Amino acid sequence: MAARGLTDLSVERGLLSEGFDFVIGVDEVGRGALAGPVSVGVALFDLRALTSAEVPAGIHDSKQLSAQARQDATDRVRSWAATAAVGSTTPAELDEVGMTMALNLAGRRAMLSMLGELAGVGSAGDALVGSEGSVGSDGSGGAASVREFPERTMVLLDGRHDWLSAPLTLDTLGIFGDCADLELPPVRTVIKGDGSVPAIAAASIVAKVARDETMIALAEAYPHYGWESNVGYGTAKHRQGITELGPSIHHRRSFRLSADTGAKEGLS
């Protein structure tokens, strides 16, 4: 039976009553995988528009949806949200900076991609942020700034721990690049928010679909690990492939991949 979609917008209505105008739902996917990127989805909503209409059908925690239902839902999210985007961190980057900073980097990349899309929608973007909004005219008729968020924006992050605005360490700066300077809106965590808050569920859907597509595409070049079905998670077939052939360049070397991971040179 298909999971019922979320309909309760009480959290988003609460933000509106607090004086916020916009909300960005944020969720991650791929944290526990052995291979592939860790990805973060973000979805931006105008709170007045969001709370004045019904949630589209099928919006739920991506883990509660079938692959087809997620695909259908991501199309609805793209039409429903003001804009949505996904950012990722490579396995090599994750190995270097650790999971918390890898999530942070993926989230910042998603935010920059989202702001870039928002600035590129022309009059629709101007209407969203207003004539004095942060993503507006540069005064010369050129492209708008893509590094500032609309005023009165709150980020709702799934989970207990705020990895998105965690302080950056010096060893991350070389990897983060321009992402290190991005000033994020305030972040509020919501435990199990992907299964209760529509704005977060929307982010979970776009992240899951994008990452799954990446792993299924990689499976064509690396058919030994079963990524077309396990999308990088530690199934028996995946671990057997690692034991027999060693890890690929898409595996997370900082993870315990198999008992004899170090005995194989791996695939290039």
Side-chain angles (χ1 to χ4, degrees):
M1 179 181 297
R4 296 179 60 185
L6 302 178
T7 59
D8 184 1
L9 289 166
S10 58
V11 171
E12 290 88 344
R13 290 192 177 94
L15 291 179
L16 190 61
S17 69
E18 291 180 44
F20 291 99
D21 293 332
F22 304 96
V23 62
I24 302 173
V26 180
D27 197 15
E28 57 79 21
V29 63
R31 184 196 297 255
L34 303 182
V38 60
S39 299
V40 172
V42 298
L44 171 68
F45 296 90
D46 179 320
L47 281 167
R48 288 178 177 79
L50 176 64
T51 57
S52 64
E54 294 184 352
V55 179
I59 304 300
H60 208 297
D61 173 8
S62 62
K63 299 185 294 295
Q64 301 297 320
L65 302 175
S66 67
Q68 185 59 57
R70 284 195 297 269
Q71 188 62 59
D72 294 342
T74 197
D75 293 338
R76 297 190 192 104
V77 169
R78 297 287 184 180
S79 298
W80 176 43
T83 185
V86 178
S88 296
T89 304
T90 68
E93 290 170 332
L94 188 158
D95 289 339
E96 183 166 348
V97 302
M99 182 58 73
T100 296
M101 287 294 101
L103 289 168
N104 187 303
L105 176 56
R108 287 168 177 267
R109 285 174 172 166
M111 291 288 191
L112 282 176
S113 177
M114 180 189 71
L115 290 177
E117 291 183 15
L118 183 61
V121 298
S123 60
D126 294 340
L128 178 66
V129 300
S131 61
E132 296 182 357
S134 297
V135 185
S137 172
D138 63 1
S140 61
S145 168
V146 296
R147 299 192 63 84
E148 297 180 1
F149 294 87
E151 295 181 0
R152 296 179 294 280
T153 296
M154 170 63 75
V155 172
L156 295 180
L157 174 63
D158 178 59
R160 186 186 303 274
H161 174 56
D162 177 12
W163 43 260
L164 182 60
S165 58
L168 304 188
T169 55
L170 289 176
D171 60 338
T172 65
L173 298 181
I175 292 178
F176 274 51
D178 290 345
C179 289
D181 297 326
L182 182 65
E183 294 187 12
L184 297 167
V187 175
R188 184 175 298 176
T189 58
V190 183
I191 298 173
K192 297 183 178 180
D194 53 359
S196 60
V197 180
I200 299 177
S204 80
I205 290 168
V206 295
K208 174 67 172 169
V209 169
R211 187 182 181 280
D212 283 2
E213 289 176 348
T214 295
M215 297 308 299
I216 291 169
L218 285 173
E220 296 182 10
Y222 300 86
H224 317 286
Y225 305 111
W227 292 343
E228 70 281 355
S229 57
N230 63 47
V231 295
Y233 286 88
T235 62
K237 180 177 181 178
H238 190 176
R239 291 186 184 277
Q240 180 181 0
I242 297 171
T243 298
E244 294 176 353
L245 298 171
S248 73
I249 60 172
H250 300 287
H251 280 95
R252 303 171 183 180
R253 302 304 180 103
S254 57
F255 281 39
R256 184 170 180 80
L257 301 176
S258 69
D260 59 347
T261 296
K264 306 290 184 179
E265 292 184 1
L267 302 175
S268 61

